[in-house]
PDB file of all heavy atoms in Angstrom:
ATOM      1  N   VAL A  16      -6.830  15.592  15.980  1.00 93.00           N
ATOM      2  CA  VAL A  16      -6.655  15.070  14.617  1.00 93.00           C
ATOM      3  C   VAL A  16      -5.504  15.802  13.926  1.00 93.00           C
ATOM      4  O   VAL A  16      -4.671  15.199  13.250  1.00 93.00           O
ATOM      5  CB  VAL A  16      -7.965  15.208  13.804  1.00 93.00           C
ATOM      6  CG1 VAL A  16      -7.739  14.875  12.348  1.00 93.00           C
ATOM      7  CG2 VAL A  16      -9.039  14.309  14.389  1.00 93.00           C
ATOM      8  N   GLY A  17      -5.450  17.121  14.125  1.00 93.00           N
ATOM      9  CA  GLY A  17      -4.400  17.933  13.504  1.00 93.00           C
ATOM     10  C   GLY A  17      -3.014  17.481  13.931  1.00 93.00           C
ATOM     11  O   GLY A  17      -2.123  17.345  13.092  1.00 93.00           O
ATOM     12  N   VAL A  18      -2.850  17.231  15.229  1.00 92.00           N
ATOM     13  CA  VAL A  18      -1.543  16.784  15.721  1.00 92.00           C
ATOM     14  C   VAL A  18      -1.160  15.456  15.067  1.00 92.00           C
ATOM     15  O   VAL A  18      -0.043  15.275  14.582  1.00 92.00           O
ATOM     16  CB  VAL A  18      -1.557  16.645  17.265  1.00 92.00           C
ATOM     17  CG1 VAL A  18      -0.353  15.863  17.754  1.00 92.00           C
ATOM     18  CG2 VAL A  18      -1.600  18.015  17.914  1.00 92.00           C
ATOM     19  N   PHE A  19      -2.132  14.523  15.002  1.00 88.00           N
ATOM     20  CA  PHE A  19      -1.883  13.223  14.373  1.00 88.00           C
ATOM     21  C   PHE A  19      -1.452  13.391  12.917  1.00 88.00           C
ATOM     22  O   PHE A  19      -0.457  12.840  12.471  1.00 88.00           O
ATOM     23  CB  PHE A  19      -3.163  12.374  14.394  1.00 88.00           C
ATOM     24  CG  PHE A  19      -3.143  11.344  15.477  1.00 88.00           C
ATOM     25  CD1 PHE A  19      -3.892  11.517  16.625  1.00 88.00           C
ATOM     26  CD2 PHE A  19      -2.361  10.211  15.352  1.00 88.00           C
ATOM     27  CE1 PHE A  19      -3.866  10.576  17.636  1.00 88.00           C
ATOM     28  CE2 PHE A  19      -2.326   9.269  16.345  1.00 88.00           C
ATOM     29  CZ  PHE A  19      -3.085   9.449  17.502  1.00 88.00           C
ATOM     30  N   LEU A  20      -2.210  14.176  12.178  1.00 89.00           N
ATOM     31  CA  LEU A  20      -1.934  14.332  10.753  1.00 89.00           C
ATOM     32  C   LEU A  20      -0.609  15.056  10.538  1.00 89.00           C
ATOM     33  O   LEU A  20       0.155  14.718   9.642  1.00 89.00           O
ATOM     34  CB  LEU A  20      -3.072  15.094  10.067  1.00 89.00           C
ATOM     35  CG  LEU A  20      -4.417  14.371  10.054  1.00 89.00           C
ATOM     36  CD1 LEU A  20      -5.458  15.212   9.353  1.00 89.00           C
ATOM     37  CD2 LEU A  20      -4.303  13.020   9.374  1.00 89.00           C
ATOM     38  N   PHE A  21      -0.338  16.049  11.396  1.00 89.00           N
ATOM     39  CA  PHE A  21       0.910  16.798  11.243  1.00 89.00           C
ATOM     40  C   PHE A  21       2.106  15.883  11.467  1.00 89.00           C
ATOM     41  O   PHE A  21       3.106  15.970  10.762  1.00 89.00           O
ATOM     42  CB  PHE A  21       0.941  17.969  12.224  1.00 89.00           C
ATOM     43  CG  PHE A  21       2.089  18.896  11.969  1.00 89.00           C
ATOM     44  CD1 PHE A  21       2.025  19.793  10.921  1.00 89.00           C
ATOM     45  CD2 PHE A  21       3.219  18.862  12.759  1.00 89.00           C
ATOM     46  CE1 PHE A  21       3.086  20.637  10.661  1.00 89.00           C
ATOM     47  CE2 PHE A  21       4.285  19.700  12.503  1.00 89.00           C
ATOM     48  CZ  PHE A  21       4.213  20.594  11.453  1.00 89.00           C
ATOM     49  N   ALA A  22       1.983  14.984  12.441  1.00 84.00           N
ATOM     50  CA  ALA A  22       3.080  14.065  12.729  1.00 84.00           C
ATOM     51  C   ALA A  22       3.355  13.168  11.525  1.00 84.00           C
ATOM     52  O   ALA A  22       4.494  12.803  11.253  1.00 84.00           O
ATOM     53  CB  ALA A  22       2.754  13.223  13.956  1.00 84.00           C
ATOM     54  N   GLY A  23       2.302  12.829  10.788  1.00 80.00           N
ATOM     55  CA  GLY A  23       2.468  11.936   9.648  1.00 80.00           C
ATOM     56  C   GLY A  23       2.967  12.635   8.394  1.00 80.00           C
ATOM     57  O   GLY A  23       3.418  11.999   7.457  1.00 80.00           O
ATOM     58  N   LEU A  24       2.913  13.968   8.414  1.00 81.00           N
ATOM     59  CA  LEU A  24       3.205  14.738   7.205  1.00 81.00           C
ATOM     60  C   LEU A  24       4.623  14.548   6.681  1.00 81.00           C
ATOM     61  O   LEU A  24       4.847  14.406   5.495  1.00 81.00           O
ATOM     62  CB  LEU A  24       2.957  16.222   7.507  1.00 81.00           C
ATOM     63  CG  LEU A  24       2.475  17.094   6.358  1.00 81.00           C
ATOM     64  CD1 LEU A  24       1.197  16.546   5.781  1.00 81.00           C
ATOM     65  CD2 LEU A  24       2.250  18.507   6.857  1.00 81.00           C
ATOM     66  N   GLY A  25       5.595  14.556   7.603  1.00 73.00           N
ATOM     67  CA  GLY A  25       6.994  14.496   7.171  1.00 73.00           C
ATOM     68  C   GLY A  25       7.463  13.110   6.814  1.00 73.00           C
ATOM     69  O   GLY A  25       8.558  12.940   6.292  1.00 73.00           O
ATOM     70  N   LYS A  26       6.639  12.092   7.081  1.00 73.00           N
ATOM     71  CA  LYS A  26       7.101  10.721   6.851  1.00 73.00           C
ATOM     72  C   LYS A  26       7.074  10.362   5.377  1.00 73.00           C
ATOM     73  O   LYS A  26       6.178  10.749   4.647  1.00 73.00           O
ATOM     74  CB  LYS A  26       6.199   9.745   7.613  1.00 73.00           C
ATOM     75  CG  LYS A  26       6.478   9.729   9.087  1.00 73.00           C
ATOM     76  CD  LYS A  26       5.676   8.602   9.702  1.00 73.00           C
ATOM     77  CE  LYS A  26       5.756   8.643  11.215  1.00 73.00           C
ATOM     78  NZ  LYS A  26       4.695   7.837  11.802  1.00 73.00           N
ATOM     79  N   ASP A  27       8.087   9.593   4.968  1.00 71.00           N
ATOM     80  CA  ASP A  27       8.102   9.092   3.602  1.00 71.00           C
ATOM     81  C   ASP A  27       7.364   7.759   3.595  1.00 71.00           C
ATOM     82  O   ASP A  27       7.808   6.793   4.207  1.00 71.00           O
ATOM     83  CB  ASP A  27       9.557   8.895   3.157  1.00 71.00           C
ATOM     84  CG  ASP A  27       9.635   8.343   1.756  1.00 71.00           C
ATOM     85  OD1 ASP A  27       8.572   8.161   1.131  1.00 71.00           O
ATOM     86  OD2 ASP A  27      10.752   8.103   1.284  1.00 71.00           O
ATOM     87  N   PRO A  28       6.207   7.710   2.920  1.00 67.00           N
ATOM     88  CA  PRO A  28       5.409   6.481   2.985  1.00 67.00           C
ATOM     89  C   PRO A  28       6.058   5.301   2.263  1.00 67.00           C
ATOM     90  O   PRO A  28       5.626   4.171   2.426  1.00 67.00           O
ATOM     91  CB  PRO A  28       4.093   6.874   2.309  1.00 67.00           C
ATOM     92  CG  PRO A  28       4.435   8.011   1.441  1.00 67.00           C
ATOM     93  CD  PRO A  28       5.574   8.746   2.111  1.00 67.00           C
ATOM     94  N   THR A  29       7.094   5.563   1.456  1.00 67.00           N
ATOM     95  CA  THR A  29       7.682   4.443   0.716  1.00 67.00           C
ATOM     96  C   THR A  29       8.768   3.723   1.502  1.00 67.00           C
ATOM     97  O   THR A  29       9.247   2.686   1.084  1.00 67.00           O
ATOM     98  CB  THR A  29       8.262   4.907  -0.635  1.00 67.00           C
ATOM     99  OG1 THR A  29       9.231   5.928  -0.369  1.00 67.00           O
ATOM    100  CG2 THR A  29       7.198   5.442  -1.544  1.00 67.00           C
TER     101      THR A  29
END
Side-chain angles (χ1 to χ4, degrees):
Chain A
V16 171
V18 166
F19 259 105
L20 295 180
F21 189 77
L24 212 57
K26 284 188 188 163
D27 179 2
T29 57

